[in-house]
Amino acid sequence: MTTNDIPDDRSYTDEHEWVMIAPGVNAVPSSPVRVGITSVAATALGELVFLDLPEVGSSIEAGQTCGEVESTKTVSELYPPVSGEVTTLNQAAIDDPSLVTQDPYGEGWLFEVQATELGALLTAEQYADKNGDQ
């Protein structure tokens, strides 16, 4: 059973990213999907001060580094949950990275991707089990 901190309407990665693809869906969506980091990652990172996101139009590959989030404590690499072309960046989060910490599943999303392939995705329950948040 998952907590309210980890929404069950999306899928997750072992590297603490989420993607707006319903759990258990194995088909590549026809429209762009939103990507962000989880509350587990946001809490561990602390206050975010800078986002280095992939450029619109760039190709990213699931599981391969595509950017970084920088906090007052550390820098953490981003590993996209899907492969495809970046279509949109969240300019509000770039301008104010604290949005990611405050609302990682809502206003703090990072970018959107026109997916061509899905990476290894977890359900909210699987992600919570792996991260001790049950």
Side-chain angles (χ1 to χ4, degrees):
M1 188 117 188
T2 61
T3 68
N4 291 335
D5 293 336
I6 302 176
D8 62 4
D9 65 344
R10 62 198 74 199
S11 298
Y12 299 85
T13 69
D14 280 330
E15 291 82 23
H16 309 290
E17 283 82 21
W18 59 261
V19 60
M20 283 302 299
I21 295 175
V25 170
N26 294 320
V28 175
S30 59
S31 57
V33 291
R34 198 164 271 187
V35 174
I37 64 170
T38 67
S39 58
V40 173
T43 300
L45 288 166
E47 182 184 342
L48 294 183
V49 294
F50 182 72
L51 303 177
D52 178 19
L53 302 179
E55 293 181 21
V56 170
S58 65
S59 292
I60 58 175
E61 188 175 329
Q64 301 296 313
T65 305
C66 71
E68 298 175 336
V69 291
E70 183 178 332
S71 73
T72 54
K73 297 181 191 178
T74 188
V75 174
S76 182
E77 293 183 328
L78 292 172
Y79 298 93
V82 296
S83 299
E85 182 179 324
V86 177
T87 59
T88 309
L89 300 180
N90 183 354
Q91 192 61 49
I94 293 168
D95 293 343
D96 182 7
S98 70
L99 282 176
V100 178
T101 307
Q102 294 165 10
D103 189 12
Y105 300 112
E107 296 300 313
W109 61 276
L110 300 177
F111 55 88
E112 292 182 341
V113 180
Q114 182 62 60
T116 56
E117 187 177 350
L118 305 180
L121 300 177
L122 306 170
T123 65
E125 185 174 3
Q126 290 168 325
Y127 179 78
D129 287 348
K130 286 181 175 237
N131 290 283
D133 190 12
Q134 308 181 43

